[in-house]
Amino acid sequence: MGDLIDDLLAGKHRALARAITKIENRSPGYRDLVGELYQHTGDAEVIGITGSPGAGKSTLVDKLAKTYRDEGLTVGVIAIDPSSPFTGGSVLGDRIRMASVSGDMDVFFRSMSARGSLGGLSTATADAVKALDAFGKDKVIVETVGAGQNEIDIVKTADTVAVLVPPGSGDDVQMLKAGILEIGDVFVVNKADLPGADRTVMELREMIDTRNDYTQTADHHGADAASEAAASEAMARETDDEGWTPQVVETVAEDGTGVDDLIELLADHATYLAESGKGEERARQRYAEEIRTLLREDVNQLVAGELAARGGIESYVQRVLDRETDPYAVADELVAPIEECVEADRDG
Amino acid sequence: MSADADQRTIRCLVAKVGLDGHDRGAHVIARAFRDAGFEVIYSGLHRSPDEVVQAAVQEDVDVLGISILSGAHNTLVPKILAGLDEYDALDDTLVVVGGIIPEDDRPKLKEAGVGGIFGPGASMEEAVEFVRENAPQRD
Ligand SMILES: Nc1nc2c(ncn2[C@@H]2O[C@H](COP(=O)(O)OP(=O)(O)O)[C@@H](O)[C@H]2O)c(=O)[nH]1
Ligand SMILES: [Mg+2]
């Protein structure tokens, strides 16, 4: 373990790859590993790229990586396919698009399936990002399909989130309303070579404006009543757009058109995060979420162990069916000894 | 928490090297491996040895399946093996080669580190079984 960390910090690719495998498999000792890595992190800029399947995410990631490499920066990429089955086989094909940086070891590209989602794919992603950060990557890009809450959680591990919207996809713009719009710092109308790009750009701008108006109005009314003020403040925090209006950019990932504009926007957002203090605020939220997730998981495991030691859930279920007990009493009975330990420990 | 957590999934890279344009063979292998429950990373057509090494090392695969039809196996495969060795990845990566490899060339490839060779006549079940039995045991 110590060797693995030393080798990773010394820049050995194999050690980095192996560390990510341990994280993904949740191998024994992976927690200590991530714990050790933490103190070496914090320097990488993490960019999340999301959007529907086929939107051109991987193609764009390839071009972004190439551009950063031309600037002399090193890059890590994690491409997650959350639609792959949790168990059983899968084919991960994001690597096919890595044409311009293929063969360049300073772009570390890693494919991840949903298998890592035992205990949260977002946790596994965040931990893998930590490994790339500790390794010394300047930029870490996380690619994931944007569809549900799982994916939103994944992409939230990034500092800056770019959402890809292909042109002429009225449905996609509709879909954005259901959650993805809130997390986008930058919207990329990729495949701008296809008809309908202008219209999609317009629709996106409209949607962003509407959202901004809404937050501003809420702020005004919020002044009237304390509770409303609190609510609007919460919303302002939630939408996270004080001082940053999400930007829209057009790209043709296939030939690289617009990629420089996108890079500039990403840099603008990074500057904004640093200067406004929002970056730290996001980090705080992220760490709080990570701690909560781990706690939930650990306590669950503790309780599961207790349940197993008492013969499993089935016997309790039977007793509930027979009206000998009820679910609340069962929960109390199982948690009581744990509670006692915790209290004794706290008092002692 | 669950039992699957300990059950290691076999990770494979299916790589197509050489200049010939068909990747049907590689696709068939990728699908057969997937159906066998393996996690397959497919890297696309026309990969150079360096690119294959990069992918195998970064993806930390247990198994590297090289599909090669062009007849250049005597130069390309040893280059890949040397590349893996350079990254200390040769010892615990099972390398299998699929394609038209004449009998005479096989001993040399095996000596260089190829674990198994599957010609056009070999069945997918054979390859899957071979991988299951020979995939390296890691911690
Ligand atoms: N016309 C056009 N096609 C693109 C563009 N970017 C990507 N594609 C194509 O869209 C398809 C899906 O791309 P991919 O990067 O795999 O999408 P992903 O699923 O979002 O990662 C591929 O066939 C790409 O060649 C673009 O800017 N214009
Ligand atoms: Mg992709």
Side-chain angles (χ1 to χ4, degrees):
Chain A
M1 167 76 75
D3 284 351
L4 186 64
I5 289 166
D6 290 345
D7 285 351
L8 185 153
L9 295 174
K12 291 227 169 91
H13 294 93
R14 179 89 173 137
L16 173 58
R18 194 48 63 85
I20 296 177
T21 303
K22 281 186 182 295
I23 286 165
E24 218 188 349
N25 290 343
R26 320 199 115 214
S27 308
Y30 97 92
R31 294 173 70 119
D32 292 340
L33 171 77
V34 179
E36 287 279 325
L37 291 175
Y38 246 90
Q39 54 182 302
H40 302 281
T41 62
D43 295 326
E45 188 191 324
V46 187
I47 300 157
I49 307 269
T50 189
S52 49
K57 297 180 294 296
S58 300
T59 314
L60 188 63
V61 168
D62 178 57
K63 293 300 189 308
L64 285 174
K66 173 80 177 119
T67 311
Y68 285 133
R69 288 294 296 133
D70 289 345
E71 291 172 21
L73 300 169
T74 58
V75 181
V77 180
I78 299 173
I80 305 151
D81 184 355
S83 65
S84 55
F86 293 97
T87 56
S90 52
V91 176
L92 307 174
D94 288 317
R95 229 188 150 96
I96 297 175
R97 311 274 176 235
M98 302 312 283
S100 21
V101 293
S102 192
D104 174 3
M105 275 311 256
D106 284 325
V107 176
F108 190 101
F109 186 103
R110 182 67 174 239
S111 317
M112 234 157 130
S113 73
R115 185 163 57 84
S117 58
L118 283 150
L121 193 48
S122 57
T123 306
T125 310
D127 290 345
V129 167
K130 291 286 177 300
L132 290 164
D133 188 347
F135 187 82
K137 293 298 182 193
D138 299 308
K139 307 280 176 185
V140 176
I141 305 175
V142 177
E143 173 192 336
T144 184
V145 176
Q149 189 58 44
N150 202 0
E151 291 78 358
I152 291 176
D153 287 344
I154 291 169
V155 91
K156 268 195 195 156
T157 61
D159 301 314
T160 299
V161 176
V163 178
L164 261 68
V165 188
S169 49
D171 288 352
D172 277 357
V173 174
Q174 250 1 74
M175 179 201 83
L176 288 173
K177 286 183 175 154
I180 302 250
L181 185 64
E182 274 67 29
I183 59 166
D185 300 304
V186 176
F187 290 88
V188 184
V189 178
N190 185 45
K191 306 200 184 183
D193 53 319
L194 299 183
D198 294 347
R199 183 153 169 219
T200 305
V201 170
M202 215 179 61
E203 281 174 356
L204 279 169
R205 293 219 165 103
E206 246 165 51
M207 205 179 287
I208 291 163
D209 286 347
T210 315
R211 192 185 87 183
N212 273 4
D213 288 349
Y214 179 55
T215 5
Q216 271 154 24
T217 332
D219 276 344
H220 276 290
H221 288 267
D224 300 342
S227 64
E228 272 185 43
S232 75
E233 194 195 297
M235 190 165 62
R237 207 182 307 125
E238 176 109 41
T239 52
D240 198 16
D241 64 351
E242 276 174 315
W244 178 264
T245 303
Q247 302 287 306
V248 184
V249 64
E250 287 179 63
T251 60
V252 182
E254 240 164 13
D255 67 9
T257 307
V259 170
D260 286 340
D261 297 338
L262 173 58
I263 294 246
E264 205 177 303
L265 274 182
L266 295 173
D268 286 349
H269 189 256
T271 309
Y272 158 74
L273 285 178
E275 286 175 357
S276 65
K278 273 279 187 236
E280 194 189 305
E281 195 180 305
R282 279 192 181 190
R284 277 176 191 278
Q285 285 174 0
R286 241 177 1 235
Y287 291 140
E289 202 46 52
E290 276 181 38
I291 294 171
R292 281 195 200 100
T293 305
L294 284 177
L295 282 176
R296 257 196 313 272
E297 225 180 284
D298 290 358
V299 172
N300 268 342
Q301 208 155 354
L302 201 64
V303 174
E306 185 62 19
L307 192 57
R310 290 167 182 245
I313 203 161
E314 276 310 318
S315 61
Y316 287 105
V317 170
Q318 189 58 49
R319 284 176 54 213
V320 173
L321 268 177
D322 296 341
R323 295 293 180 271
E324 285 169 20
T325 185
D326 62 277
Y328 287 97
V330 172
D332 284 346
E333 186 187 326
L334 285 165
V335 171
I338 297 171
E339 207 169 76
E340 272 166 33
C341 289
V342 172
E343 271 167 16
D345 191 63
R346 195 192 300 142
D347 296 343
Chain B
M1 222 183 295
S2 65
D4 344 13
D6 315 317
Q7 216 180 9
R8 289 241 358 272
T9 303
I10 296 178
R11 242 169 108 84
C12 313
L13 173 69
V14 172
K16 177 85 185 64
V17 293
L19 294 175
D20 58 299
H22 314 276
D23 64 346
R24 240 198 26 198
H27 271 300
V28 171
I29 299 167
R31 233 167 298 137
F33 280 4
R34 178 199 65 194
D35 294 344
F38 305 164
E39 193 164 282
V40 183
I41 292 125
Y42 182 55
S43 70
L45 280 170
H46 306 314
R47 293 303 167 186
S48 71
D50 280 352
E51 292 171 333
V52 175
V53 170
Q54 179 192 27
V57 170
Q58 295 183 345
E59 300 287 356
D60 193 23
V61 290
D62 308 290
V63 181
L64 165 59
I66 306 169
S67 167
I68 187 160
L69 292 170
S70 60
H73 49 267
N74 284 334
T75 51
L76 294 178
V77 174
K79 268 191 199 156
I80 292 171
L81 298 172
L84 288 177
D85 195 32
E86 194 185 316
Y87 289 100
D88 299 325
L90 184 57
D91 287 346
D92 57 1
T93 305
L94 172 66
V95 180
V96 295
V97 175
I100 305 156
I101 315 284
E103 278 302 331
D104 290 351
D105 294 344
R106 295 187 177 203
K108 230 188 307 158
L109 289 178
K110 289 207 165 158
E111 222 167 273
V114 172
I117 297 172
F118 296 89
S123 74
M124 275 303 141
E125 291 77 42
E126 248 176 275
V128 165
E129 206 41 51
F130 182 85
V131 166
R132 278 225 182 86
E133 272 166 22
N134 295 284
Q137 280 297 318
R138 296 168 174 177
D139 54 300

